[in-house]
Amino acid sequence: MKKNKKYDCAMGCPVEATLDLIGGKWKGVVLYHLVDGTLRFNELRRRLNGVTQRMLTKQLRELEECGLVVRKVYAEVPPRVEYRLSKQGETLKPIIAALADWGKKRLAAAA
Amino acid sequence: MKKNKKYDCAMGCPVEATLDLIGGKWKGVVLYHLVDGTLRFNELRRRLNGVTQRMLTKQLRELEECGLVVRKVYAEVPPRVEYRLSKQGETLKPIIAALADWGKKRLAAAA
DNA sequence: CAGTATCCACCTAGATACTG
DNA sequence: CAGTATCTAGGTGGATACTG
């Protein structure tokens, strides 16, 4: 996420490393929706109520860069670009599921 | 985290709600260290290499406000303040552990 | 020891307009 | 359709000094 991020928290804070990847406003949610399978750019956009094109593009690029998401461009007109979890990204599934589950319970309890 | 946050992502993004609580630069790490038990302010500070007093105070207040952490002040001189996970916070343990575990593997793989 | 109080650089994220 | 390009407000986090 950060350019020159050093994980120098001496006693080791692997949590920090993980949150750096899935934190931010949209990354976790993007991942959450990709768990169910491949999605095209605009499909993703519709699922992420309120995200701007710029932001979605940015988040996807970062997720791609750190190897969690795969971007596949089809040489067609109109253009088609699909996004899916990489092998690395797949390993996040249980975590995403846990986050979603916890969030559901919390939202339910608050209501 | 945000004041007037509305979780209006129509299809439901409970992940967003959760990340909003444990995201940010320090919250997850604070939680991570509190999993092992109660800690005093400065103990926590030493474990979070690089955090400033201001930041740690702020993060702790927010965690307290959303009911994940309990703050206990002892009427002593010198002052003593202890922080621990609330009952709600305890339910995050498996998630924190999962995040830490995943982060460890990823850092190991990168090395 | 465990905070507050200021001040400030930077980044995140949004709005908007344009393009291959 | 799937982006890029600009511009900008506001928030996040950091530095530093002070206090009960």
Side-chain angles (χ1 to χ4, degrees):
Chain A
M1 193 175 175
K2 298 285 192 300
K3 307 296 164 60
N4 310 319
K5 193 65 184 288
K6 300 185 195 70
Y7 298 108
D8 54 5
C9 186
M11 355 294 287
C13 301
V15 183
E16 191 184 1
T18 307
L19 285 178
D20 224 43
L21 297 178
I22 67 174
K25 185 159 182 185
W26 301 105
K27 294 218 184 70
V29 191
V30 168
L31 258 10
Y32 176 52
H33 286 290
L34 286 181
V35 170
D36 298 328
T38 299
L39 288 176
R40 299 182 54 174
F41 186 84
N42 273 354
E43 287 176 330
L44 210 40
R45 187 142 98 100
R46 274 187 290 275
R47 277 173 175 73
L48 270 57
N49 207 344
V51 75
T52 58
Q53 280 186 329
R54 179 179 125 77
M55 265 301 118
L56 183 52
T57 302
K58 194 161 161 289
Q59 305 301 307
L60 285 169
R61 286 294 185 286
E62 290 178 9
L63 287 170
E64 192 193 355
E65 191 187 0
C66 65
L68 293 178
V69 158
V70 175
R71 179 170 180 263
K72 184 162 185 181
V73 185
Y74 292 83
E76 301 176 356
V77 177
R80 178 154 59 113
V81 181
E82 290 182 348
Y83 294 89
R84 63 177 174 79
L85 294 183
S86 69
K87 198 161 183 185
Q88 261 283 309
E90 298 275 346
T91 67
L92 271 174
K93 276 189 178 183
I95 295 184
I96 304 288
L99 289 173
D101 197 50
W102 194 89
K104 268 177 210 155
K105 284 183 185 132
R106 182 157 236 267
L107 290 177
Chain B
M1 194 177 176
K2 298 285 192 301
K3 308 297 165 59
N4 309 319
K5 193 65 185 289
K6 299 186 195 71
Y7 298 109
D8 54 4
C9 186
M11 357 291 287
C13 301
V15 182
E16 189 185 2
T18 307
L19 286 177
D20 224 44
L21 297 178
I22 67 174
K25 185 161 183 183
W26 302 104
K27 295 218 184 73
V29 191
V30 168
L31 258 9
Y32 175 53
H33 286 289
L34 286 181
V35 171
D36 298 326
T38 300
L39 287 175
R40 298 181 55 171
F41 186 84
N42 273 354
E43 288 176 330
L44 210 39
R45 186 142 98 100
R46 275 187 290 274
R47 277 175 175 71
L48 271 56
N49 206 344
V51 75
T52 58
Q53 282 186 329
R54 178 180 125 75
M55 266 300 118
L56 183 53
T57 302
K58 196 163 158 289
Q59 305 302 307
L60 285 168
R61 287 294 185 287
E62 289 177 11
L63 287 170
E64 192 192 355
E65 192 187 0
C66 64
L68 293 178
V69 158
V70 175
R71 179 168 179 265
K72 183 161 186 184
V73 184
Y74 292 84
E76 303 175 356
V77 176
R80 177 154 60 113
V81 181
E82 290 182 348
Y83 294 91
R84 62 177 176 79
L85 294 181
S86 68
K87 197 161 185 185
Q88 260 284 308
E90 298 276 346
T91 65
L92 271 174
K93 276 189 179 183
I95 294 184
I96 304 289
L99 289 173
D101 197 51
W102 193 90
K104 269 177 211 158
K105 284 184 186 135
R106 181 157 236 269
L107 290 177

